[in-house]
Each structure stands twice: as C-alpha cells, then as structure tokens.
Amino acid sequence: KQEVTQIPAALSVPEGENLVLNCSFTDSAIYNLQWFRQDPGKGLTSLLLIQSSQREQTSGRLNASLDKSSGRSTLYIAASQPGDSATYLCAVNQAGTALIFGKGTTLSVSS
Amino acid sequence: SAVISQKPSRDICQRGTSLTIQCQVDSQVTMMFWYRQQPGQSLTLIATANQGSEATYESGFVIDKFPISRPNLTFSTLTVSNMSPEDSSIYLCSVTHRGQGTEAFFGQGTRLTVV
C-alpha cells in the first residue's frame, strides 16, 4: 500500500529565505506526483505536476524535483513571502487511481 | 484545466440527519473522487464515483453511510447519512482524466459541522 510522508510537519522562516519541503513515497511505481497548497479552511490549489518520466517542474518561485527510484520529491520555494504561508501537500497516484496524500507541511513566513 | 463548483460550501447539521453535497464540473472528466479531511488531518479517499454504476469505496467507508451518485461525466453527489459529530470534516470533490500527466483538480470543499 502506497504511503506518503512529508517532512517537516511544520516550518517557520523569516521573509526572503529559500526553503525546501520534502516528500517521500514507499512505492516507486507512480504515475504522477502533484504538489498542492491549502489555505486554512479552503480547498486545494494545484502548484506543480510531475509525470513519473520527468525530473523537475518549475513555476515562478517554485521548483519541484522528482527522484522516482529513491521515492523522493522536493519542493523548493525561493525568496519566501508572507503570502506563501499555507499547508503544502504532496500526493502521488498510479495508473487510473486517486491521489494518495501526505500529511502536509505547514509553512509560516514572517515579515 | 477544470473548474469545479461544490455546494454547499459549509453547513451545520443536527446529528441523525443527512446532507447531500453536489459537485459540478465545467467539462467532461474521466475520473471523479470524493475525499474527507478531518480536522488537522490530511485528505483521505472515500470513494471513486463511477458514471452510471455503483461507486468504488475505500476500506473503512461504506455505501450505506456515504451513498454516491454520478449520473453523467460532469456531476456527482455525496450524501453523508445519519450524521454524528465524528462526521464533522471538510469533504472535497476531485476530478481528473485517466492517464499520465493529467492534473487533478479540487473543489473548494464543503465544511460540515455536526452538532
């Protein structure tokens, strides 16, 4: 059974810092890996999608990498801002199946 | 991409009653899923909504408690039946197309409080 782990569970940084969020998964036979952002009490906003054949994706200040063989992904956030404060969720799926989520990393960026 | 309208956005319900949540997508999608997010927790898959047939439920979730309909490719409902305070959660609808590289999208969720 696929399990997704995210480290750290919580992170507090001052504005302007670069930071890395980690995600690991137990079954490397994934189809897609997706990073989401969730603000308190809200739904999920998709940030980046990485296909299993890809190694990284970039969107603005965000960069996600994937090492499928080792079962790991990282989300790099450059020059963090208070507006980046949210919970970040990593999720993976296999062919024709739903996403399996980690428990998330709650990020707080102080000004 | 896909735009998902989920209703209601929130509700407060009495124990023992039922609530039906609607999920409407602006385009035809292959896959529709329902998730539950309990307070302070991550998302747990309830079931896959299958068009024109019975939903496929995950371990720990049963049709009598969470009946699901999907009459067409753009609409699904989830009912939370005979509610108890333990059902207080955010319920989320998700859609995607089958296949690699297809992005999953989520509705804004329904925040349910059972008193």
Side-chain angles (χ1 to χ4, degrees):
Chain A
K1 178 183 177 183
Q2 180 74 270
E3 292 185 0
V4 180
T5 302
Q6 291 188 247
I7 295 173
L11 183 62
S12 293
V13 300
E15 182 176 8
E17 274 205 9
N18 303 323
L19 56 100
V20 174
L21 308 182
N22 297 290
C23 172
S24 62
F25 45 95
T26 54
D27 187 345
S28 62
I30 64 167
Y31 227 34
N32 300 310
L33 183 144
Q34 204 165 342
W35 283 93
F36 294 88
R37 168 185 173 137
Q38 185 176 34
D39 293 289
K42 304 294 185 182
L44 276 65
T45 300
S46 178
L47 297 174
L48 289 165
L49 167 70
I50 309 178
Q51 298 178 41
S52 62
S53 59
Q54 298 174 327
R55 294 196 64 85
E56 68 176 340
Q57 286 288 336
T58 297
S59 176
R61 294 183 293 108
L62 304 180
N63 175 275
S65 67
L66 173 63
D67 184 342
K68 186 180 169 184
S69 61
S70 68
R72 296 184 179 187
S73 176
T74 62
L75 178 66
Y76 175 82
I77 302 177
S80 58
Q81 303 171 357
D84 294 331
S85 298
T87 296
Y88 291 80
L89 295 163
C90 170
V92 299
N93 70 350
Q94 294 170 317
T97 66
L99 288 168
I100 305 298
F101 283 82
K103 292 186 176 181
T105 294
T106 299
L107 173 65
S108 176
V109 181
S110 56
S111 56
Chain B
S1 66
V3 177
I4 302 170
S5 174
Q6 192 174 330
K7 297 179 181 179
S9 59
R10 59 176 60 223
D11 207 343
I12 301 173
C13 300
Q14 297 291 322
R15 67 176 66 202
T17 63
S18 298
L19 175 71
T20 295
I21 303 167
Q22 298 181 359
C23 177
Q24 177 74 54
V25 189
D26 68 342
S27 59
Q28 293 187 345
V29 291
T30 309
M31 312 291 288
M32 294 183 79
F33 306 100
W34 287 97
Y35 288 83
R36 180 176 73 182
Q37 187 175 29
Q38 295 176 300
Q41 302 297 314
S42 189
L43 280 74
T44 300
L45 180 66
I46 297 172
T48 301
N50 300 309
Q51 184 201 359
S53 65
E54 190 172 291
T56 304
Y57 290 84
E58 297 298 302
S59 176
F61 297 96
V62 295
I63 188 171
D64 289 346
K65 176 67 175 177
F66 298 101
I68 289 171
S69 76
R70 188 181 176 189
N72 56 53
L73 289 175
T74 64
F75 184 78
S76 178
T77 65
L78 166 73
T79 299
V80 186
S81 302
N82 188 25
M83 289 183 285
S84 66
E86 292 71 34
D87 294 320
S88 298
S89 297
I90 298 175
Y91 293 86
L92 298 114
C93 170
S94 173
V95 303
T96 186
H97 286 291
R98 191 187 304 271
Q100 190 173 33
T102 56
E103 196 169 359
F105 297 94
F106 282 78
Q108 285 302 298
T110 297
R111 179 183 287 274
L112 171 62
T113 302
V114 183
V115 298

